[in-house]
Amino acid sequence: RVWDGGETNILLKQDYSLEDDLQHIKVLIDYFKDERYIKVNGIPMFMVYRPKLFPDIKKTIALWREEVKKAGFPDLYIGFAKNSEYKDDFKNVGFDFAFEFQPNFSLRPKALSAGVIIKKLKNLARKFGLRSSNNLEAVYDYEAYAKLQIDNGFVKDCYPTITPMWDNSSRRKVNYFILHDSSPDKYKLWLTHIKDNYPWRDMPESFLFINAWNEWAEGNHLEPCQKWGTAYLDATKEVLGSD
């Protein structure tokens, strides 16, 4: 029951095996063959969000590499979100790269705790049944959050990531995380900093990840919307260019 954060409540138990991973990579290979699929020197790129949820990710990666080679590819360029798992030994596990996950829940500015904005948020919390036991200490100003990420510097040997916004309170009644008052201009400033200051020469590729799953349940998107139109897409194109 992951949807509402109730991960300890089992609705239907799911067990996974290497056979499942084999069938999965066979499906993915059809996508890898598409000329539009992102590749590095002919090698398809693939990412795993939470590798420790696999029974044996090292065996899985080895299996996947074997299958893509059988399909005619030189190899698989595979990475994972570094924030919480395999922080130092990911290459020993079999990964080629790591990427930062944003938002970084462990690096937060001072929470919003007073004023008209918080009163409005508390009213919304009561309206939608959100618990207020944390006094909305999980609500942060987007600009302050972005500044903290910038001041903290980049994660070594890890591709950078940015998120345009975040609000997962629609599916979590406790332990939610909200970046308040985000905007295309604030996102653009953060994105510009990454482009201009990340040590690109230290990494084999120039990948910059944008965490925008385009789902309402976690409130992070780049797609056009009624509020911002195409402003987030326009800001991204302006900073990164059309190449």
Side-chain angles (χ1 to χ4, degrees), residues 109-210:
K110 182 178 179 181
L112 298 174
S113 60
V116 176
I117 293 177
I118 291 301
K119 290 181 181 178
K120 290 181 179 179
L121 290 172
K122 286 183 177 180
N123 289 335
L124 286 172
R126 285 193 291 269
K127 179 179 179 180
F128 292 104
L130 299 177
R131 299 181 188 179
S132 57
S133 58
N134 64 356
N135 195 31
L136 290 182
E137 291 179 354
V139 181
Y140 307 92
D141 177 72
Y142 180 90
E143 187 173 15
Y145 174 84
K147 184 179 185 303
L148 182 61
Q149 308 310 305
I150 291 172
D151 292 344
N152 190 59
F154 298 105
V155 180
K156 185 179 180 181
D157 298 327
C158 186
Y159 290 119
T161 302
I162 185 173
T163 185
M165 60 195 82
W166 187 275
D167 181 352
N168 62 356
S169 60
S170 62
R171 74 178 183 90
R172 285 182 177 269
K173 293 186 177 181
V174 293
N175 297 324
Y176 49 86
F177 184 92
I178 299 173
L179 293 179
H180 179 67
D181 202 25
S182 58
S183 72
D185 287 340
K186 296 173 184 178
Y187 159 79
K188 182 179 176 181
L189 287 174
W190 186 7
L191 185 62
T192 300
H193 171 81
I194 295 175
K195 179 189 177 184
D196 292 345
N197 295 280
Y198 183 81
W200 299 107
R201 293 183 178 179
D202 294 343
M203 297 295 284
E205 304 297 330
S206 298
F207 287 122
L208 190 161
F209 294 92
I210 302 174

Side-chain angles (χ1 to χ4, degrees), residues 10-236:
I10 305 299
L11 300 178
L12 181 64
K13 188 176 181 181
Q14 301 177 62
D15 293 312
Y16 301 100
S17 65
L18 279 176
E19 178 60 29
D20 294 314
D21 298 337
L22 175 60
Q23 297 304 316
H24 188 56
I25 196 65
K26 287 182 177 180
V27 172
L28 292 174
I29 285 172
D30 287 337
Y31 293 94
F32 295 163
K33 291 179 180 178
D34 193 303
E35 63 180 12
R36 297 167 297 179
Y37 195 89
I38 296 175
K39 300 179 180 70
V40 176
N41 297 321
I43 301 173
M45 184 183 75
F46 187 67
M47 299 179 296
V48 176
Y49 175 41
R50 293 290 306 279
K52 285 192 175 180
L53 295 180
F54 285 73
D56 191 330
I57 189 62
K58 190 171 184 177
K59 287 184 178 179
T60 294
I61 293 174
L63 174 67
W64 284 353
R65 291 188 188 279
E66 180 182 355
E67 288 301 312
V68 296
K69 290 177 182 178
K70 287 181 181 178
F73 294 103
D75 206 339
L76 185 65
Y77 190 58
I78 184 168
F80 76 107
K82 189 177 182 181
N83 287 37
S84 60
E85 301 178 352
Y86 301 115
K87 290 191 175 183
D88 299 315
D89 61 346
F90 66 89
K91 290 189 177 180
N92 293 331
V93 178
F95 288 104
D96 296 304
F97 70 92
F99 64 94
E100 183 185 12
F101 183 85
Q102 283 289 356
N104 181 354
F105 302 113
S106 64
L107 187 63
R108 312 182 182 195
K110 182 178 179 181
L112 298 174
S113 60
V116 176
I117 293 177
I118 291 301
K119 290 181 181 178
K120 290 181 179 179
L121 290 172
K122 286 183 177 180
N123 289 335
L124 286 172
R126 285 193 291 269
K127 179 179 179 180
F128 292 104
L130 299 177
R131 299 181 188 179
S132 57
S133 58
N134 64 356
N135 195 31
L136 290 182
E137 291 179 354
V139 181
Y140 307 92
D141 177 72
Y142 180 90
E143 187 173 15
Y145 174 84
K147 184 179 185 303
L148 182 61
Q149 308 310 305
I150 291 172
D151 292 344
N152 190 59
F154 298 105
V155 180
K156 185 179 180 181
D157 298 327
C158 186
Y159 290 119
T161 302
I162 185 173
T163 185
M165 60 195 82
W166 187 275
D167 181 352
N168 62 356
S169 60
S170 62
R171 74 178 183 90
R172 285 182 177 269
K173 293 186 177 181
V174 293
N175 297 324
Y176 49 86
F177 184 92
I178 299 173
L179 293 179
H180 179 67
D181 202 25
S182 58
S183 72
D185 287 340
K186 296 173 184 178
Y187 159 79
K188 182 179 176 181
L189 287 174
W190 186 7
L191 185 62
T192 300
H193 171 81
I194 295 175
K195 179 189 177 184
D196 292 345
N197 295 280
Y198 183 81
W200 299 107
R201 293 183 178 179
D202 294 343
M203 297 295 284
E205 304 297 330
S206 298
F207 287 122
L208 190 161
F209 294 92
I210 302 174
N211 186 3
W213 290 339
N214 298 319
E215 60 164 302
W216 65 269
E218 293 192 336
N220 59 332
H221 65 275
L222 283 176
E223 290 181 341
C225 64
Q226 291 182 336
K227 181 176 182 179
W228 297 111
T230 61
Y232 276 96
L233 289 172
D234 295 337
T236 304

